[in-house]
Amino acid sequence: MTKKVAVIGSGIGGIATAIRLQNKGYEVSIFESNNYLGGKLSEITIGNYRFDAGPSLFTMPEYVDELFRISNKDPKDYFTYQRLPNICNYFWDDRTRLEANADPAVFAQEIESKLNVKAEIIEKYLDQSKRNYGILGGLFVEQSLHKWSTWFSSKAMKGYLNIFNLGLFSTLNKKNEVTFSNPKLVQLFNRYATYNGSDPYQTPATMSIIPHLEYNVGAYFPTKGMNSITKSLIDLAKSIGVKVNLNSPVKEIIVTNGKAVGIKTDTIHNFDVVVSNMDISPTYRKLLPTQPAPEKTLAQPRSGSGLIFYWGIKKNFKELDLHNILFSENYEEEFKYQFSKKDIYNDPTVYINISSKQKLDDAPAGCENWFVLINAPANEGQNWDEIIERTRKNIIAKVKHNLGVDISELIEVEEVLDPRSIELKTSSAQGALYGTSSNNKFAAFFRHPNFSSKIKNLYFVGGSVHPGGGIPLALSSAKIVSEILDN
């Protein structure tokens, strides 16, 4: 008899798990509490403007393509993307500007001309990033860290031999300060800590592997927007037989005699396997109320969150690209505010994503759709209304200083997403975007595994469990679940 699987939540990890398990012969049903699919990887429309609601950077598209190929489908029939020629435009308050070309050699030459750091230093840094990713990626990203077989594999042995070269015993900031003489360049490479909601002054230097994914592998843009990743994968899932249930909040995971045997919505549904794509904390607190929770794991500090302004801007800015960063003058102080003071610094680093630069119909002619993101602390009951009002003013002032334009009169439409609403919409504990914090060298080992060691037939997928947050890691967690479920 075909085994039945329930997937709770339709984030990218949940959808990918459903596709993989359906292809392995399981009968899979997705249960989503919202009236839309995709979790953080969704979209909103405000007036004549369309915005990708959450993740805005697309790397490692082969992880998406693989889901079509294992389903015997041509990815191009469902989903297309292009490699970006320019990764990001960087701005500093002293009017220094940098266009990060996707070609590492061109990028290195521009840094040499504008920041007076020799190109060969940049090239060596990116080469080391590539090398270390080759050592760590197969171990920390593609396999379960909670199976003994992982630690006796050839990939693990390679890691043991190189352990002192992988940055486990230093911080990302210290590594970058030793490598680069220019503080602006230190700041530029420190920012990669934010890709998993971390603090570069605390997170280990192993995070220096992240630039490899942008510069050596490439940054991409889906031709129909980031939300087309969700849409194409849902179309794929349905085409191979996955059942999708919207407006179907799961109230409980049914456990009998130490086994997950079903779920409760408005009624009881019997299943042989249950996979939770919900954040690990509410999975235990809300869906497993009678089961012992891993208190030490759930008590770990949360990753950073975000404060997002969706602005329809009645002007085109030629100096801006798809991805743009306006840096704070005091980066270290900004992270102290975020992780120690649980507040947003008055001179925040401003990230502006403008998908209409690539997908023209995302905004009316002569206009742009600005997705403006500020790194924010997780929700601990702060006065978010005051923080939002204050931060909005500071962003507008920073944009005016860097671009010479007061955008306050150009904002035609506006919506705000803060840690409170992130938590409400996505069930992410405290609105943390990446689950637990990666601000110590053991963080990867402290993440919850992709399976329960106490409850049989219960598995976990998504950004709050191993290997972590972000599209590639969530997709990797789906592959890990599909592999360990069969073993």
Side-chain angles (χ1 to χ4, degrees), residues 101-370:
N101 193 283
D103 184 330
V106 176
F107 175 52
Q109 286 296 328
E110 180 167 9
I111 287 175
E112 181 170 311
S113 65
K114 291 188 175 180
L115 301 183
N116 198 31
V117 175
K118 290 187 178 297
E120 61 192 48
I121 294 175
I122 309 303
E123 292 169 346
K124 183 179 179 180
Y125 186 94
L126 293 177
D127 284 345
Q128 186 182 45
S129 178
K130 178 180 180 180
R131 176 180 175 275
N132 287 350
Y133 184 85
I135 296 169
L136 293 170
L139 182 62
F140 284 85
V141 175
E142 298 172 2
Q143 297 185 70
S144 171
L145 293 183
H146 306 89
K147 295 287 187 179
W148 284 112
S149 58
T150 298
W151 299 106
F152 292 98
S153 67
S154 59
K155 292 177 181 178
M157 296 303 168
K158 188 176 182 181
Y160 302 149
L161 293 173
N162 291 276
I163 192 168
F164 293 106
N165 299 318
L166 298 176
L168 288 168
F169 307 104
S170 181
T171 67
L172 181 61
N173 176 70
K174 287 180 181 177
K175 173 182 173 59
N176 290 335
E177 284 187 333
V178 168
T179 305
F180 306 120
S181 58
N182 190 306
K184 289 184 173 64
L185 199 54
V186 173
Q187 189 176 29
L188 190 156
F189 281 101
N190 273 356
R191 87 173 186 89
Y192 287 97
T194 67
Y195 280 38
N196 64 2
S198 300
D199 175 356
Y201 301 90
Q202 297 183 62
T203 200
T206 48
M207 294 302 169
S208 64
I209 66 175
I210 298 176
H212 161 68
L213 302 180
E214 284 193 5
Y215 290 98
N216 298 321
V217 178
Y220 297 81
F221 182 77
T223 54
K224 295 182 180 180
M226 293 293 290
N227 187 239
S228 67
I229 301 173
T230 295
K231 290 180 177 178
S232 64
L233 290 180
I234 284 295
D235 288 345
L236 172 62
K238 290 179 177 179
S239 76
I240 62 174
V242 174
K243 298 174 184 176
V244 177
N245 303 277
L246 293 174
N247 299 306
S248 300
V250 174
K251 298 175 182 178
E252 187 176 349
I253 297 172
I254 308 300
V255 179
T256 302
N257 297 325
K259 289 184 179 181
V261 296
I263 61 171
K264 179 182 178 182
T265 57
D266 289 331
T267 60
I268 300 294
H269 306 264
N270 296 319
F271 285 95
D272 301 290
V273 175
V274 176
V275 181
S276 178
N277 185 212
M278 182 185 278
D279 185 288
I280 195 66
S281 184
T283 294
Y284 278 101
R285 301 299 189 207
K286 296 179 180 180
L287 304 188
L288 294 164
T290 64
Q291 303 299 314
E295 297 298 342
K296 288 185 178 180
T297 297
L298 301 188
Q300 292 178 66
R302 298 289 97 186
S303 76
S305 185
L307 173 59
I308 304 170
F309 295 88
Y310 303 98
W311 286 339
I313 301 289
K314 298 184 292 184
K315 179 179 171 62
N316 281 330
F317 288 81
K318 63 181 181 179
E319 56 268 73
L320 298 178
D321 206 334
L322 174 65
H323 301 293
N324 309 273
I325 295 283
L326 281 59
F327 275 122
S328 168
E329 280 288 278
N330 191 334
Y331 216 36
E332 186 170 10
E333 190 68 13
E334 181 178 2
F335 284 99
K336 285 180 180 178
Y337 265 74
Q338 182 181 358
F339 287 100
S340 297
K341 299 182 180 181
K342 310 299 181 182
D343 198 356
I344 294 178
Y345 186 44
N346 284 332
D347 176 28
T349 294
V350 180
Y351 167 69
I352 305 172
N353 173 260
I354 310 172
S355 65
S356 60
K357 294 287 188 180
Q358 294 287 329
K359 186 174 177 291
L360 301 181
D361 61 353
D362 278 356
C367 304
E368 295 177 347
N369 63 334
W370 283 25

Side-chain angles (χ1 to χ4, degrees), residues 6-26:
V7 176
I8 303 170
S10 68
I12 191 71
I15 299 170
T17 301
I19 291 169
R20 287 186 176 278
L21 295 182
Q22 189 78 21
N23 273 298
K24 289 193 170 190
Y26 295 89

